């Protein structure tokens, strides 16, 4: 159970980016964060594990306050995949091994290696272990980053626009893997997405953000005409095709 | 394909990863062997010609000709140790500077840190009246303070103004000229004794260190290198970007500042004893990176070995090319490094971290 309360953030000399963010979420759920550019989606995500330190607020996971934990401890509970995927001359294995960094003392243990192997297996990356990251495609690299995040054995997975540089096939594949991980391992995933229909296809819950505040959160029923108007400033129709809810955006 | 076959297939693909690991370790071993061979040749080569057997006896002060004992123990061995330690220190400092600034063109000499250290040394000798022959701590301290000044400017530019790697090197050029100019001004007002002792700093000299200086330099290089090795996975994390590194529980600001200070301390110690040596810090990590990639588990020891080997090889060349004249070592390393530096600029930073 994750409870977020009064989360606020502002740049030292700038406007307030996040205003009293408050919501909660349960284990094993896939939550999409939707909103326009500048609504504070990425900032909110990064505040949860103190990549950006919020001015005030509380993030409670099963009753424990995350924001007052030491960074290493946070990294053992929350994994984060940044928007830009690194492309350095590092092997897939080493990159995934980084996920054990929060647990590392002097070196990595047999146990660490076993967990890395499992993550590689879960994302079907075993055959690529020895290849350098900069030789892989965008989709493959995104999978490596997911494997790294899994290796942290987190309770919460934060993904900042994981599909932004992927083709359609890879977008579906990556999100399918994430949803699968959530449902089978009971991990929570918070995913910033720009494609509403992609979000509708995979998410259990939605968090709609507008101008640094939470507009609404809940299941897919909260996505109606009014919500589209409010958060995206677009008109649209919510239609059902083959038993799936989809959004048909009005053309100007 | 059934599961047994799949497992077999996986194991076969697995060997791909092993191969990579084996390649990296083999490369380190090969570097070490090259270093050993270079040490042996360096011991033997020189204007005072002797047999190989005499040299070995000379190491233990047991050669029949006492002059050989003196040459080996007081001239060649200190020189070899100086080259190994200084090369290792410059190599590893370059490797760490490159990762904490995420700039493949970074090294003590390209950023102006070395030039700052030279100015600090000159300042200590001419203005503060430090004894230039005894290798006083005052010179090292003054070098360190000046090089830290440069480091602060570079840090401020790269971390807080988010300037591109190429521009940082431009800033380094400006800073280098500034300090070279300041050093020249100091030399202009120096008396003849101070001037002669100062000249060697601008060329670098491996032949004027004594054993106590070598010990101090070795201590600094050893302690700092061990710390770098201890932090090897922090550097690996930094390669995937600042945000990711923070999310992995790393205090990025502290990591950057602490390691920048250590690089300066190491560089200042080396420069205050042997003067300005260009490009070793830039070239050594790149040679290793070409083979082992960007994993600091291998990159750090590799940079240490490659730095040592390169400096010792350069020195061997400097001593033997037109023997008995010894060419200035700084000129030799520049000939080696400048072409690679140009190559890196031409290639751009595609192959390095694109974050």
């Amino acid at each position: 159970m994750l409870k977020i309360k009064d989360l606020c953030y502002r740049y030292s000399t700038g406007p307030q980016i996040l205003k009293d963010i408050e919501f909660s979420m349960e284990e094993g759920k896939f939550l999409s964060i939707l909103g326009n550019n500048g609504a504070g989606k990425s900032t909110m995500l990064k505040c949860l594990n103190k990549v950006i330190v919020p001015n005030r607020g509380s993030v409670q996971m099963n009753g424990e306050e995350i924001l007052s934990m030491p960074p290493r401890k946070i990294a053992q509970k929350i994994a984060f995949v940044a928007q830009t995927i690194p492309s350095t001359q590092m092997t897939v294995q080493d990159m995934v091994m980084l996920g054990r960094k929060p647990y590392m003392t002097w070196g990595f243990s047999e146990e660490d290696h076993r967990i890395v192997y499992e993550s590689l297996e879960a994302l079907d990356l075993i055959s690529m272990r020895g290849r350098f990251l900069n030789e892989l495609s965008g989709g493959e690299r995104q999978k490596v980053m997911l494997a790294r995040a899994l290796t942290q054995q987190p309770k919460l997975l934060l993904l900042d626009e994981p599909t932004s540089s992927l083709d359609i096939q890879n977008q579906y594949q990556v999100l399918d893997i994430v949803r699968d991980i959530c449902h089978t391992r009971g991990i929570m995933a918070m995913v910033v997405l720009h494609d509403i229909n992609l979000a509708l296809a995979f998410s259990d819950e939605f968090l709609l953000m507008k101008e640094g505040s939470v507009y609404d959160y809940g299941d897919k029923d909260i996505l109606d005409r009014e919500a589209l108007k409010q958060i995206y400033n677009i008109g649209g129709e919510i239609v059902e095709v083959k038993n799936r809810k989809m959004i048909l955006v009005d053309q100007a | 394909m059934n599961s047994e076959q799949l497992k077999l297939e996986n194991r076969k693909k697995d060997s791909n990863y092993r191969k990579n690991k084996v390649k990296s370790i083999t490369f380190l071993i090969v570097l070490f062997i090259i270093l050993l061979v270079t040490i042996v040749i360096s011991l033997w080569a020189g204007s005072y010609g002797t047999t190989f057997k005499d040299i070995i006896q000379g190491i233990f002060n047991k050669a029949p000709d006492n002059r050989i004992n003196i040459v080996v123990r007081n001239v060649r061995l200190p020189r070899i140790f100086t080259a190994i330690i200084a090369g290792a220190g410059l190599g590893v400092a370059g490797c760490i500077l490159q990762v904490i600034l995420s700039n493949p063109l970074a090294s003590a000499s390209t950023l102006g840190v070395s030039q700052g250290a030279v100015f600090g040394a000159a300042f200590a000798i001419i203005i503060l009246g430090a004894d230039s022959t005894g290798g006083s701590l005052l010179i090292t301290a003054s070098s360190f303070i000046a090089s830290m000044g440069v480091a602060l400017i570079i840090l401020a530019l790269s971390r807080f103004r988010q300037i591109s790697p190429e521009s940082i090197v431009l800033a380094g050029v400006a800073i280098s000229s500034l300090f070279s100019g300041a050093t020249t001004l100091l030399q202009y007002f120096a008396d003849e004794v101070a001037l002669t002792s100062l000249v060697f700093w601008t060329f670098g000299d491996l032949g004027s260190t004594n054993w106590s200086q070598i010990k101090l330099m070795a201590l600094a290089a050893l302690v700092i290198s061990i710390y770098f090795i201890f932090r090897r996975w922090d550097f690996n994390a930094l390669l995937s970007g600042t945000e990711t590194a923070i999310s992995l529980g790393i205090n990025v600001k502290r990591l950057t500042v602490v390691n920048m200070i250590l690089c300066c301390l190491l560089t200042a110690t080396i420069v205050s004893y042997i003067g300005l040596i260009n490009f070793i810090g830039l070239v050594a990590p790149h040679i290793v990176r070409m083979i082992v990639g960007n994993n600091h588990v291998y990159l750090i020891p590799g940079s240490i070995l490659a730095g040592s080997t390169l400096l010792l090889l350069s020195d061997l060349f400097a001593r033997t090319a037109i023997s008995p004249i010894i060419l200035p070592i700084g000129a030799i390393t520049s000939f080696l490094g400048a072409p690679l530096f140009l190559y890196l600029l031409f290639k751009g930073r595609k192959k390095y971290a694109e974050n």
Side-chain angles (χ1 to χ4, degrees), chain B residues 104-143:
Chain B
L105 302 171
S107 78
S109 53
T110 47
L111 297 178
V113 172
S114 296
Q115 287 78 359
V118 170
F119 169 77
F123 186 82
I125 293 169
I126 294 165
I127 308 290
L128 305 178
D131 177 15
S132 58
T133 50
S136 76
L137 274 176
L138 184 61
I139 299 178
T140 310
S142 176
S143 285

Side-chain angles (χ1 to χ4, degrees), chain B residues 106-216:
Chain B
S107 78
S109 53
T110 47
L111 297 178
V113 172
S114 296
Q115 287 78 359
V118 170
F119 169 77
F123 186 82
I125 293 169
I126 294 165
I127 308 290
L128 305 178
D131 177 15
S132 58
T133 50
S136 76
L137 274 176
L138 184 61
I139 299 178
T140 310
S142 176
S143 285
F144 174 60
I145 291 167
S147 65
M148 270 313 294
V150 176
L152 283 178
I153 300 171
I154 297 287
L155 256 186
L157 284 175
S158 63
R159 282 281 162 208
F160 307 118
R161 296 294 312 272
Q162 308 279 334
I163 286 177
S164 75
E166 287 83 357
S167 306
I168 289 291
V169 174
L170 282 182
V173 171
I175 295 167
S176 298
S177 326
L178 180 75
F179 278 102
S180 303
T183 309
T184 310
L185 267 184
L186 281 178
Q187 285 172 341
Y188 191 76
F189 293 110
D191 61 64
E192 273 169 40
V193 184
L195 192 60
T196 32
S197 72
L198 263 179
V199 166
F200 97 97
W201 259 295
T202 34
F203 293 112
D205 181 11
L206 298 173
S208 54
T209 41
N210 60 39
W211 282 112
S212 67
Q213 291 171 331
I214 291 172
K215 276 182 202 155
L216 208 86

Side-chain angles (χ1 to χ4, degrees), chain A residues 97-116:
Chain A
M97 202 78 218
L98 266 180
R100 296 311 291 169
K101 179 74 187 63
Y103 300 87
M104 183 186 139
T105 44
W106 165 245
F108 292 117
S109 65
E110 272 304 304
E111 174 76 357
D112 289 328
H113 279 97
R114 193 184 58 74
I115 294 164
V116 167

Side-chain angles (χ1 to χ4, degrees), chain B residues 279-325:
Chain B
F279 290 115
I280 294 287
L282 179 78
V283 178
H286 277 288
I287 291 175
V288 183
R289 198 174 283 123
M290 275 178 216
I291 311 289
V292 307
N294 240 335
N295 181 356
H296 287 78
V297 174
Y298 305 116
L299 197 53
I300 294 173
S303 299
I304 292 173
L305 285 172
S308 293
T309 312
L310 281 175
L311 192 53
L312 194 59
L313 270 175
S314 305
D315 182 52
L316 185 64
F317 180 79
R319 288 194 297 133
T320 53
I322 44 169
S323 174
I325 295 167

Side-chain angles (χ1 to χ4, degrees), chain B residues 22-347:
Chain B
V22 169
K23 191 173 85 179
S24 302
I25 294 169
T26 314
F27 179 69
L28 293 187
I29 295 170
V30 168
L31 264 182
F32 186 66
I33 294 170
I34 296 175
L35 180 62
L36 285 182
V37 172
T38 318
I39 291 172
V40 172
I41 298 172
S42 292
L43 265 175
W44 181 60
S47 48
Y48 196 88
T50 48
T51 64
F52 192 70
K53 193 181 146 208
D54 285 348
I55 294 286
I56 301 297
Q57 285 173 329
I59 295 174
F60 304 102
N61 210 5
K62 288 201 174 111
D65 183 351
N66 198 39
R67 277 178 301 179
I68 293 174
N69 288 334
I70 293 169
V71 166
V72 171
R73 290 173 65 89
N74 293 352
V75 180
R76 289 192 193 161
L77 272 183
R79 197 181 179 94
I80 289 169
F81 271 96
T82 306
I84 292 174
I85 296 161
L90 292 172
V92 77
C95 168
I96 301 305
L97 285 172
Q98 283 166 16
V99 63
I100 58 178
L101 297 173
S102 61
N103 185 345
L105 302 171
S107 78
S109 53
T110 47
L111 297 178
V113 172
S114 296
Q115 287 78 359
V118 170
F119 169 77
F123 186 82
I125 293 169
I126 294 165
I127 308 290
L128 305 178
D131 177 15
S132 58
T133 50
S136 76
L137 274 176
L138 184 61
I139 299 178
T140 310
S142 176
S143 285
F144 174 60
I145 291 167
S147 65
M148 270 313 294
V150 176
L152 283 178
I153 300 171
I154 297 287
L155 256 186
L157 284 175
S158 63
R159 282 281 162 208
F160 307 118
R161 296 294 312 272
Q162 308 279 334
I163 286 177
S164 75
E166 287 83 357
S167 306
I168 289 291
V169 174
L170 282 182
V173 171
I175 295 167
S176 298
S177 326
L178 180 75
F179 278 102
S180 303
T183 309
T184 310
L185 267 184
L186 281 178
Q187 285 172 341
Y188 191 76
F189 293 110
D191 61 64
E192 273 169 40
V193 184
L195 192 60
T196 32
S197 72
L198 263 179
V199 166
F200 97 97
W201 259 295
T202 34
F203 293 112
D205 181 11
L206 298 173
S208 54
T209 41
N210 60 39
W211 282 112
S212 67
Q213 291 171 331
I214 291 172
K215 276 182 202 155
L216 208 86
M217 207 158 62
L219 185 73
L222 188 73
V223 172
I224 293 174
S225 297
I226 288 174
Y227 179 78
F228 287 156
I229 290 173
F230 184 69
R231 288 267 166 235
R232 64 205 182 283
W233 280 96
D234 295 56
F235 299 130
N236 282 346
L238 215 49
L239 283 174
S240 30
T242 310
E243 285 180 352
T244 304
I246 296 173
S247 81
L248 286 165
I250 291 161
N251 187 335
V252 172
K253 264 187 201 147
R254 193 172 63 194
L255 186 75
T256 313
V257 172
V258 167
N259 285 288
M260 195 85 185
I261 291 173
L262 288 177
C263 285
C264 284
L265 190 59
L266 190 52
T267 307
T269 311
I270 294 167
V271 167
S272 66
Y273 290 142
I274 66 168
L276 184 60
I277 294 194
N278 285 319
F279 290 115
I280 294 287
L282 179 78
V283 178
H286 277 288
I287 291 175
V288 183
R289 198 174 283 123
M290 275 178 216
I291 311 289
V292 307
N294 240 335
N295 181 356
H296 287 78
V297 174
Y298 305 116
L299 197 53
I300 294 173
S303 299
I304 292 173
L305 285 172
S308 293
T309 312
L310 281 175
L311 192 53
L312 194 59
L313 270 175
S314 305
D315 182 52
L316 185 64
F317 180 79
R319 288 194 297 133
T320 53
I322 44 169
S323 174
I325 295 167
I326 299 176
L327 298 170
I329 182 72
I332 305 297
T333 57
S334 294
F335 271 119
L336 181 86
L340 186 104
F341 188 72
L342 289 174
Y343 167 72
L344 287 172
L345 274 176
F346 275 121
K347 201 180 64 171

